Amino acid sequence: MRRFLLLAWLFASCFANAQYGTNCEVRQFKLNAFNPGIEYEMALGVNSTLDIRVAYQAALEPASSQPLEDFDFFPAITVQNRYYHNLNSRQRRRRSIYGNSGNYIAPSVAIFSPGSRVVEGRLVEGVHGYGGLVYGIQRSFDSGFSFSIDAGAGYYVGPFKGSIQPVVNLSIGWIISEKRWCVGL
């Protein structure tokens, strides 16, 4: 009977591990070098996280008549709810999932606060932002080096006529703190 209970307990723990896993980091802070700022990513579930970035980001100038050709750096807050769809398959192939190394899809929202600026001879004031959907990859290494890139489309709003434009986010930096506990256990 003891052997049966031990075998049942081992089977149940293997099943629980397969179901709940250790996929996402519970939380991690990153310093970004490319877009200078700080990023915080916290686990919401086994394969999903909430990523919040406060940075000085490269972005489109949506008030321009040709926004795809007019880039600038603006202070920004970006929030993404990332769903990592391939963490389990990466783990099965013995690839690292440290630092949430995986591919994700995420609704993304950003608010830019550039202040007053002159665009094509006219004064533009106020904040602008977008809401959209992106697909991306994130890779982190044992040294703490981390990068992520995502791309998609978003609807830009602000002191100009709203429009759908491309969204691209690039983060290159270092993980400065992480909490590596199992999510869901």
Side-chain angles (χ1 to χ4, degrees), residues 40-143:
Y40 177 69
E41 189 173 13
M42 65 180 269
L44 297 178
V46 176
N47 290 331
S48 67
T49 64
L50 180 66
D51 184 78
I52 302 167
R53 181 177 32 232
V54 178
Y56 201 63
Q57 283 185 206
L60 297 174
E61 174 52 81
S64 171
S65 62
Q66 296 180 332
L68 296 177
E69 297 174 9
D70 197 359
F71 290 91
D72 209 344
F73 277 88
F74 301 127
I77 297 174
T78 305
V79 178
Q80 294 180 335
N81 182 357
R82 296 176 174 179
Y83 174 74
Y84 291 91
H85 64 84
N86 72 333
L87 293 179
N88 291 332
S89 65
R90 284 183 62 82
Q91 227 174 7
R92 278 193 304 272
R93 292 179 303 190
R94 300 192 189 283
R95 297 205 177 171
S96 174
I97 60 169
Y98 166 72
N100 301 330
S101 292
N103 300 5
Y104 60 87
I105 187 166
S108 182
V109 176
I111 297 174
F112 300 93
S113 179
S116 300
R117 61 203 187 279
V118 176
V119 178
E120 297 176 352
R122 61 192 157 99
L123 182 65
V124 178
E125 297 183 74
V127 299
H128 67 276
Y130 69 79
L133 189 65
V134 295
Y135 183 83
I137 64 167
Q138 177 168 275
R139 298 295 184 265
S140 300
F141 303 94
D142 290 334
S143 65

Side-chain angles (χ1 to χ4, degrees), residues 3 5 29 33 50 53 145 177:
R3 287 184 184 171
L5 289 175
F29 283 98
L50 180 66
R53 181 177 32 232
F145 178 75
S177 162

